[in-house]
Amino acid sequence: MSARFDTVTLIGVGLLGGSLGLALKRRGLARRIRGVGHRPETMQKALAHGAIDEIAASVADAVPGSDLVVICTPAATVPAYLDAVRPLCGKSAVVTDVASTKRDICAHAKRAWAGPYRFIGSHPMAGSEKFGPEHATADLFENTVCFVEAMNGHAPDAHAAVTELWSALGARAVPADPAAHDLLAARTSHVPHVVAAALARLTSGGGEALRAFAGSGFRDTTRIADGRPELWRDICLTNSEAIGRVLAEVQADLSKFEAALANTDSRALESYFTEARDARRRLIEP
């Protein structure tokens, strides 16, 4: 199966779902895109923005006849949508999602669906602190990484279709074990968001006295704390084990820093910042 689809259904058409719809249409990868969601005003915005071609009244109306179904809702709601979608899909339909946690979702699909599996979990590493279809863009996925659930009893054509889909949208599709993915996401995305939120919370109640000190450094390190609280609540609840493990490492690291500070250990303090700088450069610089 190629990455071109006759009918695509998007369940949830916010920033990611809306951007997916726009990207599919720009590249001619879908003839018709249906959208379904529980907020009528959001659906109307998605339609007006050109992210979808039609609004379906329900999942039961949206899914039948679809070649591709993409669940673009918060992670905690994906399993329930998988259960709703399963009996409505045709035998050749492909199903994926865009949630940023994968272990629970993929395990649920394995329990509920018969093999060879036609649900393949996806996580495009793209997004913004902004939300809603009015902020959707057709180039959101370009030059990004999209993790795709590694082959594990999947129908080969369905797995190939999801991999080819993200590649066609400009992302680098990377296979990943769901549990390994969640730990890596905790290190590079989820815990950084928790830390950004903690830093932002330090200023609550500071009023105008703090405003003059909130320069570019504060804005850069706390930008992601401006994201949707309910989205991040669900991410934390669906990846609590990995997030807790990484938070413990952060706390241990901060304890070492605190000890160096209390001991006025200049060498240890400089080493701390040097190691941090070098680790960042190794990770993000070419």
Side-chain angles (χ1 to χ4, degrees), residues 226-249:
D226 199 34
R228 294 176 64 185
E230 65 274 22
L231 172 66
W232 283 96
R233 173 202 65 200
D234 284 354
I235 287 172
C236 290
L237 290 174
T238 56
N239 199 22
S240 59
E241 182 179 333
I243 290 173
R245 175 177 167 182
V246 177
L247 279 174
E249 294 179 23

mmCIF file of all heavy atoms in Angstrom, residues 226-249:
data_model
loop_
_atom_site.group_PDB
_atom_site.id
_atom_site.type_symbol
_atom_site.label_atom_id
_atom_site.label_comp_id
_atom_site.label_asym_id
_atom_site.label_seq_id
_atom_site.Cartn_x
_atom_site.Cartn_y
_atom_site.Cartn_z
ATOM 1 N N ASP A 226 3.731 26.836 28.641
ATOM 2 C CA ASP A 226 2.518 27.520 28.198
ATOM 3 C C ASP A 226 1.575 26.575 27.450
ATOM 4 O O ASP A 226 0.560 27.012 26.913
ATOM 5 C CB ASP A 226 2.901 28.700 27.291
ATOM 6 C CG ASP A 226 1.785 29.718 27.163
ATOM 7 O OD1 ASP A 226 1.048 29.920 28.150
ATOM 8 O OD2 ASP A 226 1.631 30.303 26.074
ATOM 9 N N GLY A 227 1.900 25.291 27.415
ATOM 10 C CA GLY A 227 1.064 24.315 26.716
ATOM 11 C C GLY A 227 -0.223 24.003 27.459
ATOM 12 O O GLY A 227 -0.456 24.475 28.576
ATOM 13 N N ARG A 228 -1.051 23.182 26.841
ATOM 14 C CA ARG A 228 -2.366 22.852 27.408
ATOM 15 C C ARG A 228 -2.212 21.959 28.639
ATOM 16 O O ARG A 228 -1.674 20.860 28.547
ATOM 17 C CB ARG A 228 -3.217 22.128 26.366
ATOM 18 C CG ARG A 228 -3.597 22.978 25.179
ATOM 19 C CD ARG A 228 -4.343 22.165 24.148
ATOM 20 N NE ARG A 228 -5.619 21.685 24.657
ATOM 21 C CZ ARG A 228 -6.421 20.874 23.974
ATOM 22 N NH1 ARG A 228 -6.056 20.428 22.784
ATOM 23 N NH2 ARG A 228 -7.560 20.488 24.493
ATOM 24 N N PRO A 229 -2.694 22.398 29.793
ATOM 25 C CA PRO A 229 -2.539 21.598 31.022
ATOM 26 C C PRO A 229 -3.168 20.214 30.932
ATOM 27 O O PRO A 229 -2.598 19.234 31.423
ATOM 28 C CB PRO A 229 -3.233 22.462 32.085
ATOM 29 C CG PRO A 229 -3.134 23.855 31.562
ATOM 30 C CD PRO A 229 -3.282 23.716 30.075
ATOM 31 N N GLU A 230 -4.346 20.114 30.304
ATOM 32 C CA GLU A 230 -5.014 18.811 30.242
ATOM 33 C C GLU A 230 -4.252 17.832 29.366
ATOM 34 O O GLU A 230 -4.245 16.625 29.616
ATOM 35 C CB GLU A 230 -6.463 18.955 29.756
ATOM 36 C CG GLU A 230 -6.641 19.443 28.334
ATOM 37 C CD GLU A 230 -6.650 20.960 28.197
ATOM 38 O OE1 GLU A 230 -6.119 21.656 29.095
ATOM 39 O OE2 GLU A 230 -7.194 21.447 27.179
ATOM 40 N N LEU A 231 -3.578 18.333 28.340
ATOM 41 C CA LEU A 231 -2.768 17.474 27.479
ATOM 42 C C LEU A 231 -1.592 16.913 28.263
ATOM 43 O O LEU A 231 -1.318 15.700 28.222
ATOM 44 C CB LEU A 231 -2.274 18.269 26.270
ATOM 45 C CG LEU A 231 -1.269 17.572 25.364
ATOM 46 C CD1 LEU A 231 -1.913 16.383 24.667
ATOM 47 C CD2 LEU A 231 -0.698 18.538 24.331
ATOM 48 N N TRP A 232 -0.911 17.770 29.011
ATOM 49 C CA TRP A 232 0.252 17.324 29.767
ATOM 50 C C TRP A 232 -0.123 16.496 30.979
ATOM 51 O O TRP A 232 0.632 15.615 31.398
ATOM 52 C CB TRP A 232 1.135 18.521 30.115
ATOM 53 C CG TRP A 232 1.894 18.907 28.892
ATOM 54 C CD1 TRP A 232 1.574 19.874 27.993
ATOM 55 C CD2 TRP A 232 3.050 18.248 28.383
ATOM 56 N NE1 TRP A 232 2.470 19.859 26.943
ATOM 57 C CE2 TRP A 232 3.387 18.880 27.165
ATOM 58 C CE3 TRP A 232 3.846 17.200 28.838
ATOM 59 C CZ2 TRP A 232 4.483 18.487 26.398
ATOM 60 C CZ3 TRP A 232 4.931 16.811 28.091
ATOM 61 C CH2 TRP A 232 5.240 17.445 26.882
ATOM 62 N N ARG A 233 -1.283 16.746 31.527
ATOM 63 C CA ARG A 233 -1.801 15.855 32.585
ATOM 64 C C ARG A 233 -1.906 14.437 32.053
ATOM 65 O O ARG A 233 -1.440 13.482 32.703
ATOM 66 C CB ARG A 233 -3.187 16.353 33.025
ATOM 67 C CG ARG A 233 -3.921 15.425 33.996
ATOM 68 C CD ARG A 233 -5.420 15.703 33.952
ATOM 69 N NE ARG A 233 -5.987 15.383 32.648
ATOM 70 C CZ ARG A 233 -7.156 15.867 32.209
ATOM 71 N NH1 ARG A 233 -7.853 16.705 32.947
ATOM 72 N NH2 ARG A 233 -7.610 15.515 31.020
ATOM 73 N N ASP A 234 -2.490 14.279 30.866
ATOM 74 C CA ASP A 234 -2.677 12.948 30.299
ATOM 75 C C ASP A 234 -1.356 12.298 29.916
ATOM 76 O O ASP A 234 -1.174 11.085 30.073
ATOM 77 C CB ASP A 234 -3.599 13.028 29.081
ATOM 78 C CG ASP A 234 -5.054 13.212 29.464
ATOM 79 O OD1 ASP A 234 -5.362 13.170 30.670
ATOM 80 O OD2 ASP A 234 -5.892 13.406 28.556
ATOM 81 N N ILE A 235 -0.424 13.089 29.410
ATOM 82 C CA ILE A 235 0.890 12.537 29.079
ATOM 83 C C ILE A 235 1.544 11.967 30.336
ATOM 84 O O ILE A 235 2.088 10.857 30.330
ATOM 85 C CB ILE A 235 1.784 13.619 28.430
ATOM 86 C CG1 ILE A 235 1.305 13.897 27.007
ATOM 87 C CG2 ILE A 235 3.245 13.190 28.432
ATOM 88 C CD1 ILE A 235 1.987 15.073 26.345
ATOM 89 N N CYS A 236 1.483 12.731 31.431
ATOM 90 C CA CYS A 236 2.099 12.266 32.679
ATOM 91 C C CYS A 236 1.405 11.025 33.223
ATOM 92 O O CYS A 236 2.067 10.099 33.710
ATOM 93 C CB CYS A 236 2.080 13.385 33.718
ATOM 94 S SG CYS A 236 3.199 14.754 33.324
ATOM 95 N N LEU A 237 0.095 10.973 33.122
ATOM 96 C CA LEU A 237 -0.635 9.820 33.642
ATOM 97 C C LEU A 237 -0.388 8.563 32.815
ATOM 98 O O LEU A 237 -0.425 7.452 33.350
ATOM 99 C CB LEU A 237 -2.135 10.125 33.683
ATOM 100 C CG LEU A 237 -2.588 11.141 34.735
ATOM 101 C CD1 LEU A 237 -4.070 11.464 34.568
ATOM 102 C CD2 LEU A 237 -2.312 10.626 36.145
ATOM 103 N N THR A 238 -0.122 8.722 31.532
ATOM 104 C CA THR A 238 0.094 7.557 30.671
ATOM 105 C C THR A 238 1.567 7.198 30.534
ATOM 106 O O THR A 238 1.905 6.227 29.846
ATOM 107 C CB THR A 238 -0.517 7.781 29.267
ATOM 108 O OG1 THR A 238 0.027 8.986 28.704
ATOM 109 C CG2 THR A 238 -2.025 7.897 29.343
ATOM 110 N N ASN A 239 2.444 7.967 31.173
ATOM 111 C CA ASN A 239 3.875 7.626 31.153
ATOM 112 C C ASN A 239 4.473 7.850 32.535
ATOM 113 O O ASN A 239 5.629 8.261 32.660
ATOM 114 C CB ASN A 239 4.621 8.481 30.112
ATOM 115 C CG ASN A 239 5.961 7.877 29.726
ATOM 116 O OD1 ASN A 239 6.185 6.678 29.894
ATOM 117 N ND2 ASN A 239 6.871 8.700 29.226
ATOM 118 N N SER A 240 3.699 7.549 33.564
ATOM 119 C CA SER A 240 4.108 7.874 34.931
ATOM 120 C C SER A 240 5.369 7.119 35.366
ATOM 121 O O SER A 240 6.220 7.677 36.065
ATOM 122 C CB SER A 240 2.962 7.589 35.913
ATOM 123 O OG SER A 240 2.580 6.226 35.850
ATOM 124 N N GLU A 241 5.503 5.871 34.967
ATOM 125 C CA GLU A 241 6.656 5.072 35.402
ATOM 126 C C GLU A 241 7.963 5.657 34.872
ATOM 127 O O GLU A 241 8.928 5.867 35.623
ATOM 128 C CB GLU A 241 6.505 3.626 34.941
ATOM 129 C CG GLU A 241 7.638 2.722 35.387
ATOM 130 C CD GLU A 241 7.449 1.280 34.921
ATOM 131 O OE1 GLU A 241 6.291 0.857 34.725
ATOM 132 O OE2 GLU A 241 8.469 0.593 34.754
ATOM 133 N N ALA A 242 8.009 5.942 33.577
ATOM 134 C CA ALA A 242 9.233 6.482 32.978
ATOM 135 C C ALA A 242 9.508 7.896 33.485
ATOM 136 O O ALA A 242 10.666 8.245 33.775
ATOM 137 C CB ALA A 242 9.123 6.474 31.457
ATOM 138 N N ILE A 243 8.473 8.705 33.608
ATOM 139 C CA ILE A 243 8.666 10.074 34.099
ATOM 140 C C ILE A 243 9.171 10.049 35.537
ATOM 141 O O ILE A 243 10.085 10.804 35.900
ATOM 142 C CB ILE A 243 7.354 10.878 33.982
ATOM 143 C CG1 ILE A 243 7.051 11.144 32.505
ATOM 144 C CG2 ILE A 243 7.446 12.201 34.751
ATOM 145 C CD1 ILE A 243 5.706 11.786 32.252
ATOM 146 N N GLY A 244 8.609 9.185 36.361
ATOM 147 C CA GLY A 244 9.077 9.078 37.741
ATOM 148 C C GLY A 244 10.526 8.656 37.821
ATOM 149 O O GLY A 244 11.298 9.176 38.645
ATOM 150 N N ARG A 245 10.923 7.734 36.951
ATOM 151 C CA ARG A 245 12.317 7.259 36.928
ATOM 152 C C ARG A 245 13.276 8.391 36.560
ATOM 153 O O ARG A 245 14.317 8.575 37.201
ATOM 154 C CB ARG A 245 12.436 6.111 35.939
ATOM 155 C CG ARG A 245 13.835 5.591 35.715
ATOM 156 C CD ARG A 245 13.780 4.395 34.770
ATOM 157 N NE ARG A 245 15.100 4.036 34.275
ATOM 158 C CZ ARG A 245 15.322 3.059 33.399
ATOM 159 N NH1 ARG A 245 14.303 2.341 32.947
ATOM 160 N NH2 ARG A 245 16.545 2.799 32.977
ATOM 161 N N VAL A 246 12.904 9.176 35.550
ATOM 162 C CA VAL A 246 13.790 10.254 35.109
ATOM 163 C C VAL A 246 13.788 11.403 36.120
ATOM 164 O O VAL A 246 14.827 12.020 36.369
ATOM 165 C CB VAL A 246 13.386 10.740 33.707
ATOM 166 C CG1 VAL A 246 14.252 11.916 33.272
ATOM 167 C CG2 VAL A 246 13.514 9.598 32.691
ATOM 168 N N LEU A 247 12.639 11.677 36.739
ATOM 169 C CA LEU A 247 12.591 12.716 37.768
ATOM 170 C C LEU A 247 13.517 12.369 38.934
ATOM 171 O O LEU A 247 14.164 13.258 39.512
ATOM 172 C CB LEU A 247 11.163 12.908 38.275
ATOM 173 C CG LEU A 247 10.245 13.767 37.419
ATOM 174 C CD1 LEU A 247 8.822 13.742 37.982
ATOM 175 C CD2 LEU A 247 10.754 15.209 37.337
ATOM 176 N N ALA A 248 13.588 11.092 39.288
ATOM 177 C CA ALA A 248 14.482 10.679 40.368
ATOM 178 C C ALA A 248 15.935 10.975 39.996
ATOM 179 O O ALA A 248 16.735 11.394 40.848
ATOM 180 C CB ALA A 248 14.296 9.192 40.665
ATOM 181 N N GLU A 249 16.278 10.774 38.724
ATOM 182 C CA GLU A 249 17.635 11.092 38.271
ATOM 183 C C GLU A 249 17.895 12.593 38.334
ATOM 184 O O GLU A 249 18.992 13.029 38.722
ATOM 185 C CB GLU A 249 17.830 10.580 36.847
ATOM 186 C CG GLU A 249 17.788 9.061 36.718
ATOM 187 C CD GLU A 249 17.953 8.607 35.276
ATOM 188 O OE1 GLU A 249 18.519 9.374 34.469
ATOM 189 O OE2 GLU A 249 17.518 7.493 34.946
#
